């Protein structure tokens, strides 16, 4: 870990040294003072990070203990002052917002004060003042960049992004320090990474500013030459030239219209062929789903909310009867549309094979068979294919008033005596990468001695974006909604779920297939 840290810091210092030399070369080439102030800022920030990591004391002045302890405070003050000076001149803040320019001058002054305080006051006081001022300086510079950009300074765009990324890196470091985020390479070196990216973007900002100035100069020269040229042209020549151009454009547009018409005919034909094929696939998929008669026989009071995102779906439900008991499943396959529908047909066939040919009725054993079948069919041991499905499956034992439940990532919700319970399945899917030697699913039991409402569902409902803030619906709100409506008749529950979904989604596009099955026992 120490070697890794030293390598990371070595790369960081090397990168900053390269950026210093590169921008010094540009400064001596262009004689632009912005590059000089920028180099000073890089110097100050690099020495700050070296002092913070202890490398400055370790390699530069290991015999000077006082300087090793206080050099970080000196670099904080220097970084504050040089960064503020660079921001003021680069953004031309005095022209766009004089008040912010004066505020940056004040920040420069206080940066010098921090350096002076290092020699005359105690370490703790100077450290607190300098750290606070560093944060204020970052916010002032970022605010100045945003204001100047909003007022038309196009060269401020990279500048704003650069300081925002640096602020984001500092925020990640703070979150790690307070144990809100776990320590890893990114959070440990978030400040250095943010500073390195900031240096790159600020270099781009300088290049962009220089490019914009050059473009404006070239544009002004071109306009002056064009005005002079047009002033010397005779009116009759200009009219004839314009007429010729118009005729050429007209011929070109007519040719383009002819080509577009041909393309439209071809595209419409291809679209019709594709839609016809998908409609045929939908008819096949619809036949695969359980009939309403079979559902009513098994579940006299039930509803199904089924909304594929596209014409065909990666979500599907499955029902069969074995030894006088019904087995019901709700599955969410990888993908949606045509790819998802292929996976749904594979899952349906494997479920039928397990229950109807091999007489496997226990939900956990059915999932074990389904998992092995998907991996075998898609040859996932020897290929990079990782497709699969999340599924909840239950055996309805009405005689003993009990449900046997197993799930692969998908849960079941049931409500008894006004109390909602979410029973989770195993935290592994059907198919995909298998790290364990053998994947075995567990079985759980639910008793329904009294009236109980059950819900099986995919994640399409809870993951839908919408609402006033464009956020996901979330499982918490989905559970609250089910608790509100569970006593209502099944058909009315479906109407409420659909209405609430449409209201939440609004003009937002449906992002996934949606499947919710509710039934009362």
């Amino acid at each position: 870990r120490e070697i890794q840290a030293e390598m990371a810091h070595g790369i960081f210092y090397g990168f900053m040294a390269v950026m210093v030399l590169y921008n010094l070369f540009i400064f001596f080439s262009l004689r632009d003072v912005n590059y000089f102030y920028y180099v000073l800022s890089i110097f100050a920030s690099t020495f700050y990070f070296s002092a913070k990591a202890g490398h400055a004391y370790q390699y530069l002045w290991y015999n000077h203990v006082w300087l090793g302890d206080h050099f970080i405070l000196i670099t904080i003050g220097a970084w504050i002052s040089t960064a503020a000076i660079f921001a003021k001149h680069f953004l031309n803040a005095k022209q766009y917002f004089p008040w912010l320019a004066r505020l940056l001058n004040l920040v420069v002054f206080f940066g010098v004060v921090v350096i002076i305080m290092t020699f005359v006051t105690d370490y703790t006081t100077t450290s607190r003042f300098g750290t606070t001022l560093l944060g204020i300086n970052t916010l002032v510079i970022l605010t100045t960049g945003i204001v100047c950009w909003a007022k038309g300074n196009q060269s401020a765009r990279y500048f704003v992004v650069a300081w925002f990324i640096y602020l984001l890196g500092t925020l990640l470091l703070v979150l790690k320090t307070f144990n809100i985020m776990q320590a890893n390479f990114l959070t440990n070196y978030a400040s250095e990474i943010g500073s390195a990216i900031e240096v790159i973007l600020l270099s781009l900002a300088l290049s962009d500013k220089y490019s914009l100035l050059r473009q404006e100069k070239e544009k002004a020269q071109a306009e002056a030459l064009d005005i002079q040229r047009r002033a010397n042209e005779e009116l009759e020549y200009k009219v004839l030239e314009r007429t010729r151009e118009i005729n050429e454009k007209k011929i070109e547009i007519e040719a383009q219209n002819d080509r577009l018409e041909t393309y439209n005919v071809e595209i419409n034909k291809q679209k019709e062929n594709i839609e016809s094929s998908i409609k045929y696939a939908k008819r096949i998929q619809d036949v695969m789903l359980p009939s309403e008669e079979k559902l009513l026989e098994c579940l006299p009071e039930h509803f199904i909310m089924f909304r594929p995102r596209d014409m065909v779906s990666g979500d599907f439900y499955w029902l069969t009867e074995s030894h006088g008991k019904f087995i019901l499943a709700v599955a969410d396959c990888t993908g949606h549309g045509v790819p998802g529908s292929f996976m749904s047909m594979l899952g349906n066939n494997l479920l039928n094979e397990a229950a109807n040919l091999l007489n496997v009725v226990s939900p956990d054993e059915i999932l074990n068979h389904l998992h092995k079948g998907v991996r075998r069919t898609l040859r996932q041991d020897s290929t990079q294919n990782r497709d699969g499905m999340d599924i909840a499956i239950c055996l309805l034992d009405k005689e003993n008033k009990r449900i046997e439940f197993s799930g692969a990532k998908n849960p079941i919700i049931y409500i008894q005596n006004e109390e909602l319970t979410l029973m989770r399945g195993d935290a592994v899917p059907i198919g995909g990468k298998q790290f364990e030697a053998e994947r075995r699913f567990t079985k759980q039991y639910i008793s329904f001695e009294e009236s109980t409402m059950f819900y099986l569902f995919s994640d399409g409902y809870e993951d839908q974006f919408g609402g006033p803030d464009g956020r996901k619906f979330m499982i918490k709100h989905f559970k609250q909604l089910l608790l509100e409506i569970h006593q209502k008749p099944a058909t009315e529950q479906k109407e409420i779920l659909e209405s609430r979904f449409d209201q939440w989604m609004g003009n937002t596009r449906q992002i996934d297939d949606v499947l919710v099955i509710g039934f009362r026992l």
Side-chain angles (χ1 to χ4, degrees):
R1 186 180 299 272
E2 291 180 357
I3 294 175
Q4 183 186 35
E6 291 298 310
M7 290 180 63
H9 280 107
I11 293 171
F12 174 72
Y13 298 144
F15 169 78
M16 297 297 268
V18 169
M19 294 305 295
V20 166
L21 294 175
Y22 169 76
N23 286 281
L24 270 177
F25 174 79
I26 297 178
F27 165 69
F28 287 117
S29 299
L30 301 179
R31 298 294 178 181
D32 187 341
V33 71
N34 286 303
Y35 282 93
F36 177 72
Y37 292 138
Y38 180 48
V39 168
L40 292 179
S41 175
I42 298 176
F43 260 122
S45 65
T46 304
F47 275 108
Y48 165 75
F49 285 112
S50 67
K52 176 183 167 186
H55 294 121
Y57 174 76
Q58 182 179 0
Y59 297 108
L60 299 180
W61 39 74
Y62 55 87
N63 288 326
H64 301 281
V65 177
W66 184 92
L67 187 59
D69 290 338
H70 292 77
F71 185 71
I72 189 171
L73 302 179
I74 297 173
T75 57
I76 287 176
W79 191 9
I80 291 170
S81 296
T82 55
I85 293 172
F86 169 68
K88 174 187 171 184
H89 286 82
F90 174 83
L91 296 171
N92 199 6
K94 188 174 182 180
Q95 173 184 342
Y96 290 94
F97 211 118
W99 183 84
L100 284 174
R102 290 192 291 270
L103 185 57
L104 286 172
N105 287 333
L106 187 62
V107 170
V108 173
F109 169 77
F110 280 114
V112 176
V113 169
V114 171
I115 298 174
I116 297 173
M117 288 176 64
T118 305
F119 298 92
V120 297
T121 62
D122 62 279
Y123 181 92
T124 301
T125 302
T126 307
S127 176
R128 289 176 179 174
F129 179 73
T131 304
T132 303
L133 185 62
L134 184 61
I136 295 173
N137 180 47
T138 302
L139 294 177
V140 170
I141 289 176
L142 186 58
T143 302
T144 305
I146 294 172
V147 171
C148 291
W149 188 6
K151 287 183 173 291
N153 187 351
Q154 290 300 310
S155 60
R157 50 192 175 181
Y158 286 111
F159 183 92
V160 171
V161 176
W163 278 96
F164 178 80
I165 290 177
Y166 168 73
L167 187 62
L168 180 62
T170 303
L171 178 61
L172 289 175
L173 183 61
V174 171
L175 293 176
K176 190 268 292 186
T177 302
F178 287 96
N179 294 322
I180 298 175
M181 293 185 67
Q182 66 179 10
N184 53 44
F185 184 84
L186 177 61
T187 56
N188 286 336
Y189 302 99
S191 187
E192 285 88 347
I193 294 172
S195 181
I197 297 175
E198 178 195 33
V199 166
I200 294 173
L201 291 175
L202 288 177
S203 294
L204 291 175
L206 285 165
S207 299
D208 185 56
K209 181 176 183 178
Y210 183 78
S211 177
L212 288 173
L213 291 173
R214 185 181 61 187
Q215 290 175 8
E216 290 175 359
K217 180 179 179 181
E218 292 175 353
K219 183 179 179 181
Q221 291 175 345
E223 288 177 352
L225 290 174
D226 186 61
I227 292 173
Q228 183 178 3
R229 179 185 59 81
R230 286 185 296 168
N232 295 330
E233 289 179 351
E234 295 181 359
L235 180 60
E236 182 178 359
Y237 172 80
K238 289 192 295 183
V239 172
L240 292 174
E241 186 68 17
R242 182 61 61 186
T243 302
R244 182 183 64 80
E245 292 177 358
I246 292 173
N247 289 334
E248 290 179 353
K249 289 292 183 182
K250 182 178 179 181
I251 294 172
E252 183 180 348
I253 291 172
E254 290 176 351
Q256 290 178 350
N257 288 337
D258 292 339
R259 289 195 296 271
L260 288 174
E261 186 66 28
T262 302
Y263 294 154
N264 285 335
V265 172
E266 294 177 357
I267 290 172
N268 288 332
K269 185 177 180 180
Q270 292 175 359
K271 180 182 177 183
E272 291 174 0
N273 291 337
I274 293 171
E275 289 181 347
S276 177
S277 298
I278 295 177
K279 287 178 181 178
Y280 188 76
K282 183 180 186 304
R283 289 198 296 269
I284 295 174
Q285 191 176 44
D286 289 343
V287 172
M288 178 188 74
L289 298 174
S291 66
E292 183 64 22
E293 292 78 9
K294 192 68 175 179
L295 286 164
L296 287 172
E297 178 186 350
C298 170
L299 305 168
E301 185 176 0
H302 77 277
F303 73 84
I304 300 176
M305 179 184 173
F306 187 33
R307 286 197 180 183
R309 196 199 77 166
D310 304 307
M311 198 174 298
V312 288
S313 173
D315 289 2
F316 73 96
Y317 53 97
W318 173 82
L319 177 68
T320 192
E321 183 180 3
S322 179
H323 303 290
K325 299 177 182 178
F326 290 96
I327 308 172
L328 176 66
V330 166
D332 181 358
C333 299
T334 303
H336 35 68
V338 174
S341 69
F342 275 105
M343 283 300 302
S344 71
M345 296 192 70
L346 172 60
N348 184 81
N349 290 339
L350 290 172
L351 289 170
N352 284 327
E353 177 183 79
N356 301 326
L357 295 181
L358 302 178
N359 293 319
V360 179
V361 296
S362 181
D364 58 324
E365 293 297 330
I366 293 176
L367 291 188
N368 293 335
H369 175 82
L370 181 60
H371 174 69
K372 293 176 182 178
V374 168
R375 284 182 53 79
R376 181 183 65 252
T377 305
L378 300 181
R379 295 184 292 174
Q380 293 183 334
D381 283 332
S382 59
T383 69
Q384 295 299 315
N385 183 280
R386 295 293 179 263
D387 293 326
M389 64 191 71
D390 302 337
I391 183 171
I393 184 168
C394 54
L395 174 69
L396 281 59
D397 187 352
K398 295 184 178 180
E399 180 179 352
N400 296 312
K401 295 187 179 298
R402 185 177 70 177
I403 277 184
E404 298 177 10
F405 166 76
S406 293
K409 298 191 75 173
N410 273 7
I412 184 172
I413 288 178
Y414 63 94
I415 305 177
Q416 287 181 346
N417 298 323
E418 301 299 321
E419 182 177 351
L420 183 146
T421 302
L422 185 146
M423 181 175 286
R424 301 185 182 279
D426 293 287
V428 288
I430 297 296
K433 185 70 174 178
Q434 179 175 314
F435 296 97
E436 64 272 34
E438 182 179 6
R439 183 166 297 176
R440 305 291 296 180
F441 294 89
T442 56
K443 180 169 61 176
Q444 305 176 71
Y445 299 91
I446 307 170
S447 174
F448 53 91
E449 293 292 340
E450 54 275 318
S451 176
T452 306
M453 195 69 197
F454 296 88
Y455 301 94
L456 297 175
F457 51 93
S458 66
D459 59 3
Y461 200 108
E462 62 194 72
D463 284 348
Q464 179 59 46
F465 288 97
D469 300 322
R471 298 179 178 178
K472 287 186 177 181
F473 193 79
M474 304 299 290
I475 186 66
K476 178 180 71 174
H477 297 121
F478 183 61
K479 288 161 61 178
Q480 291 175 351
L481 177 57
L482 295 181
L483 193 58
E484 291 174 8
I485 67 174
H486 76 279
Q487 290 185 339
K488 299 181 182 297
T491 54
E492 188 174 345
Q493 290 189 46
K494 177 183 177 182
E495 292 174 358
I496 294 173
L497 284 169
E498 290 181 333
S499 175
R500 188 70 62 87
F501 185 80
D502 291 333
Q503 182 182 2
W504 177 262
M505 185 167 61
N507 296 325
T508 307
R509 184 175 181 269
Q510 183 176 333
I511 65 168
D512 198 2
D513 302 320
V514 175
L515 175 57
V516 182
I517 294 182
F519 56 92
R520 194 186 308 276
L521 295 175

